[in-house]
């Protein structure tokens, strides 16, 4: 039973990191209806800046610069690439972000070389043990950060005009412009925010229990895809729910892989995708996503 | 590539012109000659190029077939798919299992049906189609990003099966690919002298691949310009209206998914024949993304776009690596500069971005503009 | 056409040395298919630079057989298509391959190597599946043998005993599954039970695996994965008070990790096996190489890839010299020469015997322990030794 | 009509479209509440009513986009209720959309050809292999499309992308696309909205021409009372999802309930 | 003094010229109507004012001034900030957003605080009660006419100084069209200038003080609305048939249309 609880808590804690990454997808999707495949490289960028600086200026300032840096990179992607696209096909833009991702990842991995970079976080490998269940401090921090950020965004989307302008701009840029919405600024802000979120996610993705930031870190962003979709691509609540579901699924499937060995070993990676497919069969727009309009 | 535009005017709504004048008209176009020269070159390459270049060309042709399929799905119907690599794998492994003999290799008991290889190739394509059909509950229900990421699940499922179903797939080490043979003619590495040139598998396969590409290109073009193509575009542009116009939307979505899977299956068979061994690592997400990049770079929704994009994406790294010594900026690996691998990734990334921003419609549009009006 | 003139096998030069593909009067061409931009970039870089160093040194010393040695490197970034293309490109031009990273790709061209090309290939991979070919020669103990030696070390140190359970966390694929074969054999011999945990290279967080192994009550853990997974595993185990020794194959360590927060845990109770001495070893061979490599590539860190790469290149050189002595620099000549090499590489810790293509070149492993103070991050805790089970083990 | 050519009779005899007790509910809203009316074969039947009365909802039920909560729709003896939109289209029910539903980048020809979908057969295989049957079919139907384009006055715009046409012409393309389905029943949702008086007249004449030369039933939703009066043989008036009146245009126009709910005091 | 001054405006979409040398004034506090058939360029004119031509790859020359300040070179949002707000053709509601959020979006470009927009919202709800009832419904699910009301209401949320209306009565029931007409008048009475593009020329000419007739991109007629309303040309083409001649006219029009033969499958 403790194992189950430990796996469950472990899953929830890594799930909150996925939720943070998924939130980045959601913000951009809400503002532009584009699935941002370059999120992985934003993650690398944020982590890289933090990792390079923490020795000289200390962790918290480095993290702040990292967040700002990733925000700038995100904004730059918007300004240099996304804004220049004149068509209206969101799938095409999604593919463009793949191109951007390749460019950025190549550059960043070239810079990082083969190093494994520590981020110099204050939690180290500290753990907290409650009733025989051990949890890494970093993960508790991640859980809190994810909860906090997601609540903040939920409120911001609901109660400020930012959320409204984002959705309006995403849905119909021309009319949004006619409403006086500054299209450029809205999507610039969304990309910058997504970058900042990526930097935060990168932090929790690379601190203990994982060894540090390195070129393969961006692959972890892949795990947030099922999270984002599962919850609904345009829902902040969905990002949280999806992240947690993916984390728990993965953790349980790994922890009980001996009992599941008839499915072949190592289904930890696969399980979240299977859950995602099941959910989509029942709810094509995810758990909390906006359903497609069906009126003419 | 030439074969795809030879019938440029065939489907046009013009009143029937007597064959003679149409031919004369075509003879006056410079493009006709360009295509003719291109075709001759393509046919002559095996006599001049060495195995490396032929192999590169074969990879490109296989990719082109796969990309045509994806373009039917993503370009024409607006259904984003990131699971294309899965269907390539089904084709490749399907062929191996169907054509291979049962044997023991690297400690794996491999099962195989030992069918004639041509039949196995056909069945492998159908198998890929069937796999696409199995996915149709999802393919017909989801759209856009949701479908894109749902299909990503196929990649992970595929990888899992490839690694774990050892008796079919050979596990991590993959399976040897039985060479194709047709009417007793083997497309294997035994040397055949043709006009003094030793023909090995690459040379022989070249013609098979060229033919396969030509046929699949023409087929897709027919589909796109005909009734199904219009229905697919309608689904992309306005799903509800398409239904009201009498298009069975779910059926077409599932249908084009199956068709696109079959193209991927054919590409997979061809790739397997070129590789001579299937390896699970190959059929990962990166491959799927490459196919998406191909159709965007080449141009969405057209056959020529897929072919041009495929050639670009699969030949670029080979060119850069091969000529890394003579290119400025690019340096040999290990000497500290920009490695060719990195350089080609930069270029490839930039090409995707640039194609979308500056060439809406892709590289083919560029060619069309410089040539005659479509 | 140019292609029509058939390739001329077996010409002889003035000195009466038979030459073939990849050898001219002035140059011996070798190929290296490496990964410098993909998942094995860190290995690929060290190996390649070490081999380039070897080439430089060899040429400075007058070359081999009055010829300069030339190394053509192709980086495939762990992409099968590029790897195969690289092989196809270089195969007709080079005498053999001093390096080929990625055992799936080696397996993919195995038929061509054995069937038509017959060029010597020295893969940088230690899977038992690669053993058995006359032309593909693994340098060192294969993963299964290495794993047996690791378990032997744990038994010898009394960290585990008959009846215990041991955990094995391994990569999906060639490497992990070959190592698993070894641990299963060793477990059978020693009366242990193996608890399996299969992972993928994208898994970086071993929390769930540790929880599962803890639950199973294992007394030691073997890691046949990448350095990151090893670091995470060791770190999580230490932090959660799961105090068992962890041992890993040679690929499960990278010195960079000592700088991360997993560093202390790694230095505490983690052991790695390899078929060479660590680069930071005070012994003459590693020390000399470390110095020369450091001088050539001052910016790059030292790791065991350096020795592995250098060792492979030297082996190729050794074979070339022997082939030259028997006046046969053709591919066939090299292969024959290699079969006569039975005591290679003692400088780096243990002798290798290449006379039997069906056996690994050694069944010994050096057991090492991470140590932040040593360059390369590893120091020897048990010199080369072959466990009894490793000797009795039959490959495949 | 002088220009009508007598050809072989349509395969299916014109049939009445009977709407019986149709109710449509959405969460917390009854858009249609037990609505019944019958469209006589070959007539023009107008459905009018204030905004949000349920006219387009009626069309959505008739064309299968919405499923009625209760009630039934029959075309002749065939029940349409619950059929998928494409099945209903197969039976010869065509419609236009109040908010345009034209692909903006496709040419007018392509949009019109889409209307031929139900009448053509070429599938993936036939089109892919360019079987002669497919080619023959394509040629025949392209000719017909041109004929229809001429009939509605769009022959000069055939090669333009629909998105570049002014609003009024886009409405005509919609009408053309529906005509291309060779329907038995034609549902027109505000066909003259966004046109000048002149253009309205011409479009009305086109609709009248369709009825006269093809003899099909037309259901017309329109707020332009002039056009309704001119074209309609019968009128059904909806308000808040209920049928509040019906009859000939003249009757309806003078029904106080209709005046109060819909027309307002006439100027 | 004219609030909006358009001088020598020419607009093209690629090779297509859609407006040629158009000059037009909207005096302060007045309602000015623009009539014209399909494709005359009315929408194009409004796009040029609101600076949204770019969305259609259109380009223009000439000057547009509002209160003496040139609008050329501004971004759409800046035009809105200057007080010029357009109700786009074809409703263009944000279909996936709720009605309430659509209205909030309308207020985004406006100056003035929350209080002002709360006032505007009350006003809009007064005008179109259905928008209050349906506040939480997604706008895409509204009926066509309801969407048109939403589009109007949304524009009013920005409390414009100059309102550009592109066919506001499109798809509205006669009763509602009258309501809209009254609303426009009211808005105007409270100090907002209006540029009204309408197919329903009867309404337009009744509301407007001045009117322009656009044909194929050029201004062919202009003058006080009542004078134009009396002109034969306008009566025939834009005001439609008067009842007595309806039958006759319809026949004439029908006669001009060739019949369509039946399709024989
Ligand atoms: N899918 C839906 N979900 C919720 N409400 C809907 C849906 N479709 C229609 N409605 C509502 O049903 C009512 C009737 O809508 P309908 O579109 O039929 O009106 P209409 O008579 O066509 O009006 P108009 O003349 O304005 O176009 C409207 O109030 C509308 O908001
Ligand atoms: N996006 C576009 N691309 C190309 N041409 C266009 C575009 N929009 C409009 N046009 C052309 O410009 C001309 C004027 O169109 P506009 O939409 O301004 O007319 P309108 O007077 O508003 O017509 P309607 O009354 O039908 O709305 C037309 O010939 C039209 O074809
Ligand atoms: Mg309606
Ligand atoms: Mg207009």
């Amino acid at each position: 039973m403790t194992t189950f609880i430990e796996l469950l808590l472990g899953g929830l804690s890594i799930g909150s990191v996925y939720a943070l990454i998924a939130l980045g997808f959601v913000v951009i999707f809400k503002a532009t209806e584009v699935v941002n495949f370059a999120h992985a490289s934003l993650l690398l960028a944020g982590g890289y800046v933090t990792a390079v600086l923490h020795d000289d200026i200390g962790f918290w300032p480095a993290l702040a610069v990292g967040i700002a840096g990733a925000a700038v990179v995100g904004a730059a992607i918007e300004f240099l690439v996304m804004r220049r696209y004149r068509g209206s096909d969101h799938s095409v833009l999604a593919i463009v972000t793949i191109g951007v991702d390749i460019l950025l990842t190549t550059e960043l991995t070239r810079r990082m070389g083969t190093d494994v970079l520590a981020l110099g976080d204050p939690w180290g490998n500290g753990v907290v043990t409650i009733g025989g269940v051990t949890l890494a401090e970093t993960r508790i921090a991640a859980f809190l950060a994810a909860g906090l950020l997601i609540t903040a965004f939920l409120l911001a989307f609901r109660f400020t005009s930012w959320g409204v302008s984002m959705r309006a701009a995403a849905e119909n840029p021309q009319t949004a412009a006619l409403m006086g919405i500054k299209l450029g600024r809205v999507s610039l802000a969304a990309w910058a925010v997504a970058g900042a979120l990526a930097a935060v996610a990168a932090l929790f993705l690379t601190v203990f229990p994982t060894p540090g930031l390195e070129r393969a870190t961006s692959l972890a962003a892949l795990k947030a895809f099922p999270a984002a979709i599962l919850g609904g691509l345009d829902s902040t609540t969905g990002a949280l729910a999806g992240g947690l579901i993916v984390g728990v699924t993965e953790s349980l499937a790994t922890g009980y892989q001996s009992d599941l060995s008839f499915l072949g070993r190592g289904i930890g990676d696969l399980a979240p995708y299977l859950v995602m497919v099941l959910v989509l069969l029942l709810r094509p727009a995810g758990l909390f996503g906006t359903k497609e309009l069906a009126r003419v | 590539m030439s074969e795809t535009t030879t019938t440029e005017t065939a489907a046009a709504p013009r009143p029937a012109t007597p064959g003679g004048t149409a031919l004369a008209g075509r003879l006056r176009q410079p493009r006709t000659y360009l295509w003719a020269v291109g075709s001759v070159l393509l046919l002559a390459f095996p006599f001049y190029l060495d195995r490396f270049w032929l192999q590169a060309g074969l990879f490109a042709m296989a990719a082109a077939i796969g990309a045509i399929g994806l373009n039917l799905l993503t370009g024409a119907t607006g259904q984003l798919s990131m699971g294309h690599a899965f269907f390539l794998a089904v084709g490749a492994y399907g062929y191996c299992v169907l054509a291979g003999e049962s044997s023991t290799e690297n400690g794996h008991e491999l099962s195989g049906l030992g069918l004639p290889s041509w039949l196995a190739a056909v069945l492998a394509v159908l198998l890929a189609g069937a796999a696409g059909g199995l996915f149709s509950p999802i393919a017909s229900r989801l759209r856009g990003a949701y479908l894109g990421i749902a299909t990503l699940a196929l990649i992970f499922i595929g990888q899992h099966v490839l690694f774990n179903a050892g008796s079919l797939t050979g596990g991590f080490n993959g399976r040897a690919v039985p060479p194709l043979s047709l009417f007793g003619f083997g497309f294997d590495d035994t040397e055949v002298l043709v006009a003094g040139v030793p023909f090995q598998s690459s040379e022989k396969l070249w013609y098979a691949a060229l033919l396969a590409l030509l046929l699949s290109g023409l087929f897709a073009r027919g589909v796109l310009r005909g009734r199904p193509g219009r229905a697919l575009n309608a689904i992309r542009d306005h799903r509800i209206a398409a239904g009201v116009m009498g298009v069975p939307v779910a059926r077409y979505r599932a249908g084009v998914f199956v068709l696109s899977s079959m193209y991927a299956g054919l590409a997979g068979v061809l790739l397997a024949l070129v590789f001579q061994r299937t390896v699970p690592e190959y059929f990962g997400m990166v491959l799927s993304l490459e196919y998406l990049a191909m159709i965007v770079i080449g141009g969405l929704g057209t056959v020529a776009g897929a072919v041009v994009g495929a050639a670009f994406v699969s030949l670029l790294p080979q060119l850069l690596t091969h000529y890394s010594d003579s290119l400025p900026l690019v340096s040999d690996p290990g000497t500290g500069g920009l490695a060719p691998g990195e350089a080609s990734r930069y270029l490839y990334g930039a090409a995707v971005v640039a194609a979308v921003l500056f060439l809406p419609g892709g590289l083919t549009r560029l060619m069309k503009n410089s040539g005659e009006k479509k | 056409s140019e292609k029509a003139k058939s390739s001329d096998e077996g010409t002889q030069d003035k000195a009466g040395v038979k030459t073939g593909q990849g050898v001219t009067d002035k140059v011996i061409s070798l190929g290296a298919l490496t990964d410098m931009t993909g998942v094995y970039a860190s290995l690929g870089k060290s190996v390649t630079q070490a081999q380039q160093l070897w080439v430089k040194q060899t040429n400075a010393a007058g070359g081999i057989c009055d010829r300069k040695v030339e190394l053509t490197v192709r980086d495939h970034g762990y992409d099968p298509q590029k790897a195969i293309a690289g092989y196809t490109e270089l195969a007709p031009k080079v005498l053999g391959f001093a390096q080929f990273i990625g055992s799936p790709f080696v397996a993919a061209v195995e038929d061509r190597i054995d069937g038509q090309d017959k060029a010597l290939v020295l893969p940088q991979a230690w899977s038992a599946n690669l053993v058995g070919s006359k032309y593909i020669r693994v340098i060192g103990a294969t993963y299964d043998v290495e794993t047996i030696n690791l378990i032997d070390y744990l038994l010898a140190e009394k960290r585990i005993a008959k009846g215990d359970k041991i955990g094995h966390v391994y990569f999906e694929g060639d490497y992990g599954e070959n190592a698993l074969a070894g641990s299963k054999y060793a477990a059978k011999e020693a009366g242990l039970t193996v608890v399996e945990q299969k992972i993928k290279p994208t898994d970086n967080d071993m929390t769930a695996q540790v929880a599962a192994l803890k639950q199973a009550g294992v007394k030691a853990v073997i890691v046949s994965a990448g350095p990151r997974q090893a670091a995470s595993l060791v770190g999580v185990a230490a932090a959660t008070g799961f105090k068992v020794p962890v041992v890993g194959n040679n690929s499960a360590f990278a010195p960079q990790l000592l700088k991360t927060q997993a560093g202390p845990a790694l230095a505490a109770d983690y052991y790695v096996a390899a078929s060479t001495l660590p680069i930071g070893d005070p012994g003459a061979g590693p020390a000399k190489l470390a110095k020369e490599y450091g001088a050539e590539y001052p910016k790059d860190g030292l790791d065991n890839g350096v020795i592995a790469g250098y060792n492979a290149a030297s082996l190729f050189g050794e074979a070339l010299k022997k082939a030259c002595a028997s006046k046969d620099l053709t591919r066939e000549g090299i292969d024959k020469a290699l079969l006569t090499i039975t005591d290679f590489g003692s400088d780096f810790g243990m002798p290798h015997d290449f006379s039997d293509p069906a056996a690994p070149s050694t069944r010994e492993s050096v057991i090492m322990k991470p140590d932040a103070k040593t360059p390369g991050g590893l120091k020897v805790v048990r010199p080369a030794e072959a466990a009894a089970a490793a000797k009795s083990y039959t490959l495949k | 009509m002088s220009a009508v050519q007598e050809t072989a009779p349509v395969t299916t005899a014109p049939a009445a479209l009977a709407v019986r007790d149709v109710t449509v509910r959405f969460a917390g809203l009854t858009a249609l509440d037990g609505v019944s009316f019958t469209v006589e074969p070959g007539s023009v039947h107008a459905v009018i009513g204030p905004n949000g009365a349920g006219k387009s909802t009626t069309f959505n039920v008739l064309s299968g986009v919405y499923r009625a909560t209760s009630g039934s729709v029959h075309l002749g003896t065939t029940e349409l209720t619950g059929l998928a939109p494409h099945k209903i289209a197969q039976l010869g029910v065509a419609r236009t959309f109040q908010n345009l539903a034209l692909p903006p980048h496709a040419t007018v020809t392509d949009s019109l050809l889409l209307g031929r979908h139900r009448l053509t057969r070429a599938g993936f295989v036939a089109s892919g292999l360019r079987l002669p049957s497919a080619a023959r079919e394509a040629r025949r139907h392209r000719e017909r499309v041109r004929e229809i384009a001429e009939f509605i006055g769009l022959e000069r715009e055939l090669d333009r992308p629909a998105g570049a046409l002014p609003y009024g012409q886009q409405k005509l393309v919609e009408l053309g696309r529906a005509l291309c389905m060779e329907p038995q029943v034609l549902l027109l949702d505000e066909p003259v909205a966004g046109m000048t008086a002149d253009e309205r007249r011409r479009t009305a004449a086109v609709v009248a021409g369709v009825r006269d030369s093809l003899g099909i039933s037309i259901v017309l939703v329109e707020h332009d009372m002039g056009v309704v009066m001119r074209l309609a043989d019968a009128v059904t008036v909806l308000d808040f999802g209920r049928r509040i009146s019906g009859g000939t245009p003249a009757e309806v126009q003078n029904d106080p309930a209709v005046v109060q709910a819909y027309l307002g005091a006439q100027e | 003094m004219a609030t909006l001054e358009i001088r020598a405006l020419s607009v093209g979409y690629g090779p297509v010229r859609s407006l040629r040398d158009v000059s037009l004034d909207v005096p302060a506090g007045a309602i000015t109507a623009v009539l014209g058939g399909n494709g005359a360029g009315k929408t194009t004119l409004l796009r040029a004012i609101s600076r949204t031509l770019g969305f259609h790859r259109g380009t223009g020359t000439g000057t547009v001034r509002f209160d003496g300040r040139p609008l050329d070179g501004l971004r759409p949002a800046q035009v809105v900030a200057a007080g010029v707000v357009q109700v786009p053709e074809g409703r263009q509601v944000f279909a996936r957003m709720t009605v309430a959020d659509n209205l909030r979006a309308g207020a985004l470009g406006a100056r003035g605080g929350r209080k002002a927009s709360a006032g505007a919202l009350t006003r809009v709800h007064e005008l179109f009660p259905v928008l209050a009832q349906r506040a939480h419904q997604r706008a895409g699910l509204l009926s066509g006419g309801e969407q048109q009301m939403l589009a109007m209401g949304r524009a009013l949320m920005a409390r414009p100084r100059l309102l550009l209306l592109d066919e506001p009565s499109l798809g509205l029931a006669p009763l509602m069209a009258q309501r809209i007409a009254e609303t426009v008048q009211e808005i105007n009475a409270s100090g907002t200038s209006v540029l009204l593009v309408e197919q329903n020329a009867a309404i337009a000419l009744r509301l407007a003080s001045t009117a322009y007739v656009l044909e194929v991109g050029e201004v062919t007629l202009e003058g006080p609305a009542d004078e134009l309303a009396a002109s034969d040309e306008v009566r025939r083409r834009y005001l439609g048939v008067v009842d007595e001649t309806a039958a006759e006219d319809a026949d004439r029009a029908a006669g001009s249309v060739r019949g369509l033969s039946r399709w024989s499958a």
Side-chain angles (χ1 to χ4, degrees), chain D residues 160 163-169 194-196 199, chain E residues 13-14 16-18 36-45 47 55-57 89 166-167 197 199 214:
Chain D
R160 292 184 69 186
L165 299 179
Y167 190 85
Q169 285 196 326
M195 297 186 177
T196 62
E199 292 155 355
Chain E
Y13 299 96
V16 186
R17 294 271 108 215
S18 296
N38 276 163
K42 306 179 296 295
T43 300
T44 305
L45 174 68
R47 283 180 191 152
F55 288 97
H56 303 264
R57 298 169 199 267
E89 175 177 53
D166 201 344
E167 310 193 13
V197 165
Q199 301 294 1
L214 267 184

Side-chain angles (χ1 to χ4, degrees), chain B residues 51-53 55-56 59 173 177 202 271-279 282 318, chain C residues 33-34 74-92 97 100-113 117:
Chain B
R51 182 170 186 160
F52 169 70
W53 287 115
Q55 199 175 42
F59 279 136
N173 264 333
V177 180
S202 306
L271 277 171
L273 289 170
V274 182
F275 269 125
Q276 300 183 329
R277 181 172 204 98
T278 52
V279 275
Y282 183 62
Q318 314 272 17
Chain C
L33 295 170
T34 192
R74 288 290 178 256
D75 167 24
H76 56 61
Y78 214 73
D79 172 338
Q81 185 172 329
K82 292 194 189 115
I84 308 280
Y87 178 81
T88 310
E89 183 194 358
L90 295 187
F97 292 85
F100 197 158
I101 286 184
S103 55
F105 316 147
V106 180
V109 289
E110 192 174 351
D111 292 343
R112 273 158 73 183
I113 297 172
D117 294 338

Side-chain angles (χ1 to χ4, degrees), chain E residues 218-229:
Chain E
E218 283 177 276
V219 176
T220 50
L221 282 174
E222 61 176 287
D226 39 8
E227 277 177 31
L228 280 189

Side-chain angles (χ1 to χ4, degrees), chain D residues 133-147:
Chain D
S133 63
R136 222 175 310 122
E137 181 182 271
R139 212 171 319 114
R140 248 161 52 93
H141 286 267
R142 273 174 192 277
E143 259 161 47
R144 176 66 173 173
V145 159
R146 175 158 284 278
E147 237 174 84

Side-chain angles (χ1 to χ4, degrees), chain E residues 29-31 85 87 123-124 127-128 151-165 168 179-195 207:
Chain E
I31 299 179
V85 178
V87 177
R123 173 102 186 83
V124 168
L127 278 172
F128 309 112
M152 268 293 271
R154 190 177 56 182
L156 295 183
M157 290 296 292
R159 284 160 283 128
R161 291 171 54 214
L162 169 64
L163 188 59
L164 311 174
L165 294 173
R179 273 276 284 292
I180 291 277
E182 287 157 22
T183 311
V184 171
Q185 244 162 353
E186 265 176 65
I187 294 166
N188 176 246
S190 59
T192 304
S193 328
V194 177
L195 179 58
L207 293 179

Side-chain angles (χ1 to χ4, degrees), chain C residues 36-393:
Chain C
M36 304 185 67
T37 46
V39 286
Y40 288 106
S42 64
L43 176 70
K45 190 173 172 196
S46 300
V47 169
T48 307
Q49 292 187 348
Q51 297 196 332
Q52 279 162 336
L53 175 69
W54 176 84
V55 168
K56 202 168 157 191
Q57 290 173 348
T58 305
N59 287 340
I64 294 176
C65 218
D66 296 327
R67 289 165 171 87
K68 296 260 177 244
V69 178
E70 207 178 71
L71 186 69
T72 310
V73 182
R74 288 290 178 256
D75 167 24
H76 56 61
Y78 214 73
D79 172 338
Q81 185 172 329
K82 292 194 189 115
I84 308 280
Y87 178 81
T88 310
E89 183 194 358
L90 295 187
K93 294 188 205 157
V94 298
L95 180 56
F97 292 85
Q99 177 194 166
F100 197 158
I101 286 184
S103 55
F105 316 147
V106 180
V109 289
E110 192 174 351
D111 292 343
R112 273 158 73 183
I113 297 172
D114 288 344
Q116 27 174 335
D117 294 338
K118 297 189 166 47
L120 177 61
V121 174
L122 302 178
Q124 281 293 328
W126 293 269
S127 162
N129 292 314
L130 296 172
V131 174
S133 155
K134 248 176 89 182
Y135 311 103
I136 303 169
R137 304 303 304 274
V138 176
I139 308 171
T142 45
Y143 291 121
D144 41 10
V145 172
E146 197 171 81
T147 310
I148 297 171
N149 284 331
L150 279 168
I151 293 175
D152 177 65
Y153 173 73
L154 291 172
L155 289 163
E157 295 287 312
K158 308 252 182 313
R159 306 298 299 269
I160 50 173
K162 187 170 178 178
D164 281 348
K165 284 183 178 171
I166 52 172
H168 195 161
V169 178
Y170 62 98
F171 267 171
E172 178 172 81
D174 210 357
Y175 161 28
E177 287 170 40
N178 186 216
L180 182 68
S183 69
K184 281 188 169 157
Y185 178 80
K188 203 175 84 214
E189 295 291 294
L192 307 164
T193 321
V194 179
V195 179
E196 296 175 35
Q197 283 285 329
K198 187 175 187 173
I199 58 171
K200 295 204 164 75
T202 45
D203 295 327
N204 283 332
D205 175 357
M206 296 293 113
T207 313
Q209 283 78 6
V210 170
L213 292 176
K214 201 164 149 188
Q215 156 83 3
V218 305
K219 292 290 187 306
V221 181
I222 306 156
V223 196
S224 305
R228 283 171 283 135
Q229 287 76 16
S232 175
L233 187 101
V234 171
V236 174
T240 54
F242 180 44
K243 296 201 185 333
V244 295
V246 181
V247 295
N249 293 88
N250 69 53
S251 307
F253 180 78
Q256 292 94 326
L257 293 171
L258 291 174
K259 285 179 290 177
T260 67
Q261 62 267 47
L266 283 170
D269 207 4
Y270 181 55
Y271 308 91
V272 188
S275 304
T276 61
L277 290 173
I279 183 83
D281 195 73
K288 177 167 173 284
L289 178 58
K291 200 167 131 253
E292 288 163 353
Y293 187 86
E296 183 77 15
Y297 305 103
K299 279 191 301 205
D300 293 311
L302 291 168
D303 59 25
N304 274 12
V306 175
I307 291 199
Y310 196 85
N311 214 17
S314 318
L315 174 65
F316 214 115
E318 192 69 25
L320 283 173
K321 282 178 202 152
K322 290 211 167 193
C324 182
S326 38
K327 299 208 177 296
D328 187 357
L329 272 185
T330 61
R331 288 180 173 175
E332 207 180 335
I334 301 294
D335 296 328
K336 270 200 214 120
L338 191 70
L339 289 174
T340 66
I341 298 177
T342 53
D343 183 18
F344 168 79
S346 306
D347 288 357
F348 292 117
M350 65 183 73
H352 296 262
D353 176 357
F354 293 94
S355 58
D356 179 6
S361 70
T362 179
R363 286 178 187 253
E364 295 179 14
S365 299
V366 181
I367 309 291
M368 303 166 294
K369 186 175 179 355
D371 175 39
K373 289 189 287 295
T374 320
L378 285 173
K379 65 174 190 224
V380 176
V381 296
R382 185 172 95 171
E385 192 178 303
K391 288 182 198 146
S392 65
Y393 174 75

